[in-house]
Amino acid sequence: MSEPVFDELIHAPHRLRICAMLAAVDSAEFSVIRDTLGIADSVLSKHVKALQTAGYVTVTKTSGQAHRRTWLALSPEGRRALAGHLAELRRISDLAQTGRH
């Protein structure tokens, strides 16, 4: 179990959803994440850049016959950070449920 740590970088709604989606897979195509979130390329790029700068997400570009594809993956550090953040959210939720501080 990860140590509960609130991560403000991950906590932003789109970034939290990006990390959650990537946690369930080895990697995902940029366009799949974009379409699932229903956001513009520029918005996703901004959030991915922030996560990439923190070392939480890796970006790989591949060239195919038809077009270039961009793949996103949650790094081991990103997986640890997400697990810690989710553990902290659970801890906070438990406080609200039990009323104990």
Side-chain angles (χ1 to χ4, degrees):
M1 190 83 178
S2 291
E3 182 71 26
V5 177
F6 191 89
D7 190 310
E8 292 200 25
L9 179 70
I10 290 177
H11 192 67
H14 286 312
R15 290 193 291 263
L16 182 56
R17 291 179 69 198
I18 291 164
C19 290
M21 289 175 67
L22 293 175
V25 296
D26 290 333
S27 64
E29 194 173 352
F30 182 95
S31 62
V32 171
I33 301 289
R34 178 200 62 214
D35 295 347
T36 302
L37 295 178
I39 57 177
D41 284 356
S42 60
V43 173
L44 180 54
S45 291
K46 176 184 168 187
H47 289 297
V48 167
K49 184 67 175 169
L51 292 166
Q52 185 180 24
T53 299
Y56 292 173
V57 168
T58 60
V59 177
T60 306
K61 297 186 183 276
T62 60
S63 295
Q65 290 180 351
H67 66 296
R68 207 174 157 145
R69 291 184 172 175
T70 301
W71 294 88
L72 308 175
L74 203 56
S75 69
E77 184 178 343
R79 289 183 185 280
R80 282 190 297 277
L82 177 62
H85 186 69
L86 294 175
E88 178 62 4
L89 292 178
R90 281 187 209 96
R91 189 190 71 76
I92 292 169
S93 176
D94 288 347
L95 289 174
Q97 297 295 319
T98 63
R100 286 183 274 161
H101 301 280

